[in-house]
Every structure is written in structure tokens, then in C-alpha cells.
């Protein structure tokens, strides 16, 4: 029979491990401490609402609406929209430091800059869809990724890409209203 003292000593490391792991599992945000003030980040995020137009034998894909969000390292934002071929006036603003640090940390902590540029195949029969593009420059290293919305491709879009997309969409939605 096992002595109770051995059970107590055996349970201590298990309890300590549970106490250490629990906050890490329950916290779903990237810590902003990963953003360093010396980091130089520029982000260009583009969303295209595309439509395929058939001319009998040939077909062409054209943008119905294009939104471009450009974020400079100091937090300056430029938002541009082209809809049905007409360019609307640019909107300029400044991103507060906490949001800027959150985006910097997300890009830096997740290894976004090292994701390979892939091509995602669009399913046959799809005529209207959204395609996004993000170009990130982090301390001189540039990575550009293009991807469609998930329901028009059979390829797997990594969660890192969708996390960055959702953060940038939240910023973009402040201007598109």
C-alpha cells in the first residue's frame, strides 16, 4: 500500500503545473510585450470584392470594390476606397499606440513574416468572392500574402493569416462606415 506522504509529494508538481498552465490556456491574446519600440513595421492591407464576368469564350475577373489600409510605423493610417471604378477621397487618421502595439506583437509573435507566399486556388463555379492581400515590412523583411475567403477555396488558410485579417478588418471597419 502507498503511504499518504508519497501521494502528497507526488501531487505537488502536478498542482504546480496546473497552476502555471491554466492562465496560458485561458488567455487567447498575444501579449503586447512582444512589440519592441525599435521595431519598424509597415502594413498594407487590401480587400477586393471580385466578380467574374463571362464574355462567351473568355472571362475576366474585375474588382467591384477595393479597400486599402496603409499603416505606417508611427501609427499614421491612410484608408482608400475604389468602388465601381470611382476613387473616393482618402481618409487619414492615427492609430492609438495600444492598437499599434497589438498588431506589431501579433505579427512578430506569430511568425507572420516567415509564412511562405502561397497561391490559393478558387473553386470552379464561383463568380463573386473576396480576396485579401497583406504586405508586411518588419525591420526590413518583407512578406506579401494573398488569400481568398475560406468558402471559395478548398485549400486551408492558416489561422495566423485570419487572425491578422480580423485585426486589420476591425481597424478598416472604423473608416468604412
Amino acid at each position: 500500500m502507498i503511504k499518504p506522504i508519497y501521494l502528497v509529494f507526488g501531487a505537488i508538481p502536478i498542482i504546480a503545473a496546473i497552476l502555471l498552465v491554466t492562465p496560458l490556456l485561458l488567455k487567447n491574446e498575444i501579449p503586447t510585450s512582444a512589440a519592441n519600440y525599435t521595431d519598424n513595421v509597415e502594413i498594407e492591407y487590401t480587400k477586393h470584392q471580385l466578380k467574374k464576368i463571362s464574355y462567351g469564350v473568355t472571362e475576366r475577373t474585375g474588382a467591384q470594390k477595393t479597400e486599402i489600409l496603409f499603416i505606417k510605423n508611427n501609427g499614421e493610417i491612410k484608408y482608400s476606397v475604389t468602388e465601381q471604378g470611382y476613387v473616393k477621397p482618402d481618409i487619414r487618421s492615427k492609430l492609438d499606440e495600444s492598437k499599434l502595439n497589438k498588431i506589431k506583437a501579433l505579427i512578430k509573435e506569430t511568425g507572420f513574416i516567415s509564412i511562405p507566399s502561397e497561391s490559393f486556388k478558387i473553386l470552379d463555379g464561383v463568380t463573386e468572392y473576396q480576396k485579401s492581400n497583406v504586405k508586411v515590412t518588419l525591420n526590413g523583411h518583407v512578406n506579401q500574402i494573398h488569400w481568398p475567403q475560406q468558402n471559395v477555396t478548398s485549400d486551408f488558410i492558416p489561422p495566423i493569416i485570419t487572425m491578422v485579417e480580423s485585426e486589420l478588418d476591425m481597424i478598416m471597419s472604423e473608416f468604412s462606415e
Side-chain angles (χ1 to χ4, degrees):
M1 186 126 147
I2 299 176
K3 293 184 180 181
I5 193 82
Y6 291 134
L7 287 176
V8 171
F9 283 132
I12 291 174
I14 294 171
I15 293 170
I18 290 172
L19 291 175
L20 288 173
V21 171
T22 302
L24 297 174
L25 292 175
L26 297 178
K27 185 177 180 183
N28 59 356
E29 270 189 31
I30 302 294
T32 57
S33 61
N36 195 342
Y37 72 93
T38 60
D39 288 336
N40 188 2
V41 176
E42 287 189 353
I43 302 167
E44 185 176 340
Y45 175 58
T46 308
K47 279 191 341 186
H48 302 282
Q49 301 297 330
L50 300 174
K51 184 175 184 178
K52 286 185 182 178
I53 301 168
S54 179
Y55 296 107
V57 178
T58 62
E59 64 181 29
R60 177 180 84 78
T61 303
Q64 301 295 310
K65 182 179 181 181
T66 299
E67 297 175 271
I68 301 171
L69 179 70
F70 185 72
I71 303 173
K72 291 185 179 181
N73 188 51
N74 61 0
E76 289 182 23
I77 297 176
K78 181 177 138 186
Y79 174 73
S80 306
V81 177
T82 303
E83 196 163 6
Q84 301 294 334
Y86 296 102
V87 180
K88 295 183 178 179
D90 293 345
I91 299 172
R92 296 183 185 271
S93 183
K94 184 130 173 115
L95 193 62
D96 65 67
E97 196 169 333
S98 64
K99 285 184 182 179
L100 182 62
N101 284 338
K102 183 177 181 181
I103 291 172
K104 281 183 181 181
L106 181 65
I107 289 169
K108 194 173 174 186
E109 226 11 67
T110 59
F112 188 85
I113 202 74
S114 63
I115 295 174
S117 297
E118 296 180 15
S119 177
F120 296 96
K121 185 174 171 27
I122 306 299
L123 296 172
D124 293 333
V126 175
T127 57
E128 292 186 34
Y129 60 96
Q130 176 181 303
K131 189 169 186 181
S132 302
N133 170 46
V134 69
K135 178 181 176 184
V136 175
T137 306
L138 175 64
N139 299 329
H141 300 287
V142 179
N143 192 14
Q144 187 166 358
I145 301 172
H146 308 271
W147 70 96
Q149 63 193 58
Q150 184 64 61
N151 63 347
V152 298
T153 184
S154 59
D155 298 332
F156 175 71
I157 299 173
I160 296 170
I161 294 173
T162 55
M163 285 173 59
V164 170
E165 178 184 29
S166 65
E167 286 296 324
L168 295 172
D169 277 343
M170 285 193 305
I171 295 169
M172 195 178 270
S173 68
E174 294 174 12
F175 302 109
S176 63
E177 296 172 346

